[in-house]
Amino acid sequence: MKRRIVLIKGSGYKSGKDTAAAFIANELHRGRPRLILKGMFAYTVKKLAESLTQMKMIDLNTPEQEHYIRYPFSNPTPDFSQIQKETYLTLWGMTLGRMLQLLATEGMRNHFDKDIHVKAEAIRINNLVDEYAEGAKDITVIISDWRFPNEEQISDYLIGDWDVHLVEVSRDTSDVDAGSWVGDNTGRDMMHESESYEMNSGHEISNNGSLLELAEACSQFVKLIK
């Protein structure tokens, strides 16, 4: 069975990494059936944030969501929207985005186990493969919140042999673009280590043009990994 995992890192405010993930998934489906699963390193901490705030993740694969693009993943893909992440939580004195940074990096990664989110997501992916992979000859897991170098070793915790492909989606942005995210430590810090780690991506995709150009760049990447 062919197994591949695609890790996508975004550079620049609203880089388009999730849109690129959708384009890559769609392109992989083109021409032959493949099992494509949606992964998320931050899934565990987002579930914790749901419990703390009672703000529920939503299904972004609906026509009502902004920039709707069909997500051909076999597993449900709920997530917090950008609007939710920018929501100020009065009880906690910060935005949801800032809470996620503090819980995931300062809380779990830096003070418990730097691989905690990698191990947790590997367990979840192993379970998803057990649930969905019967009869599949080709499995791809796409994770579009790759932020740290140690996440590249997720295959060490996955069952079976996996090919890991690294992608960086970059978009030129200005301080004005990211202004609502920084300032008084209550909003998401765009200079936070989870946003600014320098890594070798392996394959670079520019998102400074149109959606059509981004789709074509993702198509070219898929040709390299098929």
Side-chain angles (χ1 to χ4, degrees):
M1 179 189 294
K2 177 72 173 180
R3 294 180 175 92
R4 66 175 71 83
I5 187 161
V6 178
L7 305 185
I8 303 176
K9 173 180 172 58
S11 296
Y13 180 64
K14 292 186 177 180
S15 62
K17 56 187 173 61
D18 293 321
T19 303
F23 281 142
I24 290 170
N26 274 296
E27 189 64 27
L28 280 167
H29 261 307
R30 193 187 304 274
R32 61 178 291 192
R34 287 183 167 94
L35 176 63
I36 303 179
L37 300 171
K38 172 72 171 176
M40 188 187 304
F41 283 121
Y43 184 82
T44 300
V45 74
K46 287 179 178 179
K47 293 299 291 184
L48 174 58
E50 275 192 329
S51 297
L52 290 173
T53 65
Q54 293 301 299
M55 181 182 291
K56 299 298 182 182
M57 287 188 281
I58 61 177
D59 182 2
L60 298 179
N61 186 31
T62 63
E64 291 77 20
Q65 297 305 317
E66 187 179 4
H67 306 308
Y68 171 70
I69 296 174
R70 172 64 184 164
Y71 285 72
F73 298 108
S74 296
N75 56 316
T77 58
D79 197 357
F80 290 120
S81 69
Q82 290 296 338
I83 293 176
Q84 286 178 302
K85 291 176 184 177
E86 294 184 36
T87 300
Y88 182 80
L89 307 171
T90 303
L91 182 63
W92 298 99
M94 66 186 72
T95 64
L96 176 63
R98 182 58 176 157
M99 172 182 279
L100 291 171
Q101 286 181 328
L102 292 172
L103 287 173
T105 304
E106 279 83 344
M108 294 182 176
R109 187 177 186 275
N110 289 350
H111 294 286
F112 184 76
D113 181 342
K114 69 179 179 64
D115 288 338
I116 183 172
H117 60 305
V118 183
K119 295 174 181 177
E121 184 57 13
I123 292 171
R124 193 174 77 95
I125 290 173
N126 287 331
N127 289 336
L128 287 172
V129 170
D130 284 343
E131 181 178 358
Y132 291 100
E134 184 176 357
K137 296 181 180 180
D138 190 305
I139 300 175
T140 300
V141 177
I142 300 178
I143 301 180
S144 59
D145 62 346
W146 168 44
R147 300 177 188 278
F148 295 105
N150 63 308
E151 294 166 350
E152 299 168 23
Q153 276 68 57
I154 187 173
S155 59
D156 292 346
Y157 305 110
L158 295 174
I159 297 172
D161 296 323
W162 293 76
D163 294 326
V164 180
H165 302 277
L166 309 177
V167 180
E168 181 172 359
V169 180
S170 61
R171 178 172 178 262
D172 295 338
T173 55
S174 66
D175 293 338
V176 174
D177 296 323
S180 63
W181 294 89
V182 296
D184 60 2
N185 293 323
T186 64
R188 185 175 171 192
D189 179 6
M190 294 307 292
M191 296 306 295
H192 190 265
E193 61 180 300
S194 64
E195 300 291 344
S196 57
Y197 238 108
E198 293 292 333
M199 298 184 292
N200 293 321
S201 62
H203 187 90
E204 296 183 5
I205 293 177
S206 173
N207 186 24
N208 289 310
S210 66
L211 273 178
L212 184 61
E213 290 171 320
L214 177 60
E216 176 58 27
C218 292
S219 176
Q220 293 301 314
F221 166 72
V222 169
K223 290 177 181 178
L224 296 175
I225 68 171
K226 276 188 175 180

